[in-house]
Amino acid sequence: GAGVSQSPSNKVTEKGKDVELRCDPISGHTALYWYRQSLGQGLEFLIYFQGNSAPDKSGLPSDRFSAERTGGSVSTLTIQRTQQEDSAVYLCASSLYSWQGSYEQYFGPGTRLTVT
Amino acid sequence: GDSVTQMEGPVTLSEEAFLTINCTYTATGYPSLFWYVQYPGEGLQLLLKATKADDKGSNKGFEATYRKETTSFHLEKGSVQVSDSAVYFCALSLTQGGSEKLVFGKGTKLTVNP
């Protein structure tokens, strides 16, 4: 079946502009995650959605970052007033829900964001 | 806080050599442990996992055992191939207060030469 898809695959934007990154999870997966992969920081957790529960936003680095998940499926990560340090690969993952955290997270191919 | 420490790379080996990539963790409670792999130009994919102490995860000739006493989850393969060249990430899964996330190590780049 289809895996996690993300769009765009690459995004170049000017400093100060807003960007939206999209994630389509695997059908039936109720849990959705956003991570950021950068050279300096490695892989960092950003935000977690599970069903209709309030999301865990504890990993968002600043209030310029926000995310939503509509209808329990597609998610959008928005970065306002982008800065050069926001340049990274943004990864989305989805999984079945397990209270033990033991289910595999399936990752999308990522969106490479470059802020000039 | 909760964290994962894995050996720094890069690691360069000849084909058929033995591979060990060390991984230790710090966590409250009893996390699940994972190895993810990122092949050149591809996304992250799960290599193997273990969900409780003394469990052994295995896949594609790779193995790792969840050692609670040493808080370790070292990745091993007896005979590497050129196609194993990739970046390997050790990770733990935290479930707290209804939330869940993976905490990753920095990654270890492996290059296998023919």
Side-chain angles (χ1 to χ4, degrees):
Chain A
V4 178
S5 60
Q6 294 185 244
S7 61
S9 55
N10 279 285
K11 177 72 176 178
V12 180
T13 189
E14 292 180 352
K15 178 181 173 182
K17 301 281 191 182
D18 297 352
V19 295
E20 283 190 352
L21 312 179
R22 178 188 167 102
C23 171
D24 281 272
I26 293 172
S27 177
H29 282 188
T30 58
L32 186 148
Y33 317 75
W34 284 96
Y35 295 88
R36 179 168 69 174
Q37 186 175 21
S38 57
L39 281 175
Q41 301 298 322
L43 274 156
E44 304 171 277
F45 165 80
L46 296 178
I47 188 168
Y48 164 74
F49 295 92
Q50 163 52 31
N52 295 320
S53 302
D56 176 2
K57 305 179 182 180
S58 61
L60 295 178
S62 78
D63 58 8
R64 296 186 294 104
F65 288 71
S66 63
E68 62 177 21
R69 189 178 184 191
T70 54
S73 181
V74 171
S75 178
T76 303
L77 177 69
T78 301
I79 308 173
Q80 296 178 309
R81 304 181 303 281
T82 52
Q83 304 294 313
Q84 288 186 328
E85 61 262 28
D86 299 335
S87 296
V89 177
Y90 290 82
L91 297 171
C92 177
S94 70
S95 76
L96 296 170
Y97 176 70
S98 162
W99 68 272
Q100 292 177 308
S102 57
Y103 281 126
E104 174 182 358
Q105 293 185 25
Y106 292 81
F107 284 81
T111 293
R112 182 175 296 277
L113 175 66
T114 303
V115 182
T116 61
Chain B
D2 301 298
S3 64
V4 174
T5 302
Q6 63 181 103
M7 64 186 284
E8 303 253 340
V11 174
T12 302
L13 296 173
S14 298
E15 207 164 24
E16 299 183 3
F18 183 84
L19 168 71
T20 300
I21 301 178
N22 290 335
C23 172
T24 57
Y25 67 91
T26 301
T28 51
Y30 304 100
S32 295
L33 301 175
F34 303 82
W35 278 98
Y36 278 82
V37 60
Q38 191 170 34
Y39 296 103
E42 298 185 17
L44 270 173
Q45 55 187 275
L46 180 68
L47 180 61
L48 53 84
K49 71 177 186 181
T51 58
K52 62 183 187 296
D54 299 325
D55 267 4
K56 177 186 283 188
S58 61
N59 186 26
K60 299 182 180 179
F62 291 88
E63 292 184 339
T65 301
Y66 189 161
R67 300 286 188 200
K68 181 184 168 188
E69 61 276 14
T70 55
T71 61
S72 64
F73 193 55
H74 304 322
L75 182 68
E76 296 183 335
K77 186 173 185 181
S79 176
V80 293
Q81 305 300 312
V82 172
S83 57
D84 293 327
S85 298
V87 181
Y88 293 81
F89 294 90
C90 185
L92 63 82
S93 178
L94 288 174
T95 304
Q96 294 173 328
S99 179
E100 183 183 322
K101 62 182 175 183
L102 287 172
V103 175
F104 288 91
K106 296 287 188 185
T108 302
K109 183 175 181 180
L110 170 67
T111 301
V112 180
N113 295 318

